[in-house]
Amino acid sequence: MLNADGAPVSWLPLSIISWEESIKYMVLDKATVLDWYDDWIVHSANWETKVPSVMILKDYEKRKTAIRYSKHNVFLRDGYVCQYCGDDVSKKTATLDHVLPVSHGGKTTFENTVTACGPCNANKGNDKKIVPKHKPFKPTYFQLVEKRKKMAWDLPHPAWKNYLE
Ligand SMILES: [Zn+2]
């Protein structure tokens, strides 16, 4: 679902709605269909329709730009790069590391956690003298969106790609 300005209503996570919702938006005339699934038709007693794959809202919806702390947002802020050795990590291999260890009173906040690969995390352990290359910070919504745009999307319909620039 795109906002009236042509960009997704939400980037984090991507504004994906169910087919039932998409039909509701269509029936209520709240959004315009930009693309359809060619081979997906749904029926009710009296009518049938193809299912929309991309829609744009008729009225602009204010975006929520507050950032919640989460492990995934820390990984995203760090671009899935270990903050100790600089190696790339994946969603599967990324670990969350407390710069000031929890055992030393370290908090689970954007300012005290970084992305680490398994070996660096194990190597650091409870050593508070080993510090990341960059001081961790609380990212803005737009910084996270920029990072997210650089990563691959798992898209159920190829037409979506055109709207994710
Ligand atoms: Zn590492």
Side-chain angles (χ1 to χ4, degrees):
M1 176 61 77
L2 304 174
N3 211 336
D5 64 0
V9 173
S10 160
W11 287 97
L12 303 165
L14 202 56
S15 39
I16 297 173
I17 61 174
S18 67
W19 70 266
E20 290 96 334
E21 283 178 286
S22 75
I23 305 289
K24 206 184 287 172
Y25 274 105
M26 212 163 67
V27 171
L28 298 175
D29 199 28
K30 293 202 171 217
T32 307
V33 179
L34 298 182
D35 221 315
W36 305 87
Y37 286 94
D38 289 329
D39 48 2
W40 189 1
I41 292 167
V42 290
H43 307 262
S44 75
N46 308 312
W47 53 276
E48 64 173 40
T49 177
K50 286 204 278 188
V51 175
S53 72
V54 181
M55 302 183 94
I56 183 165
L57 284 177
K58 294 197 168 175
D59 293 321
Y60 183 79
E61 199 172 284
K62 198 171 181 299
R63 287 193 173 86
K64 297 183 187 80
T65 55
I67 288 293
R68 249 175 356 102
Y69 176 85
S70 76
K71 193 167 75 170
H72 294 290
N73 281 341
V74 170
F75 296 161
L76 200 52
R77 177 198 66 193
D78 297 339
Y80 283 85
V81 169
C82 173
Q83 296 302 293
Y84 295 99
C85 70
D87 277 1
D88 287 336
V89 290
S90 70
K91 277 185 181 156
K92 279 192 184 136
T93 61
T95 67
L96 188 72
D97 177 74
H98 287 77
V99 178
L100 178 66
V102 178
S103 60
H104 288 86
K107 301 235 162 62
T108 305
T109 59
F110 276 116
E111 291 82 2
N112 190 48
T113 52
V114 293
T115 307
C117 68
C120 284
N121 202 333
N123 178 48
K124 184 172 186 297
N126 283 330
D127 191 342
K128 59 180 180 180
K129 289 191 283 304
I130 301 176
V131 293
K133 289 180 177 157
H134 306 285
K135 196 174 172 336
F137 62 95
K138 184 178 179 189
T140 65
Y141 171 82
F142 299 99
Q143 285 170 327
L144 287 186
V145 169
E146 283 314 305
K147 288 284 170 85
R148 183 63 190 87
K149 283 182 183 176
K150 288 186 186 128
M151 295 169 60
W153 299 96
D154 184 17
L155 303 179
H157 193 276
W160 291 19
K161 196 163 45 96
N162 306 324
Y163 302 96
L164 296 176
E165 309 284 278

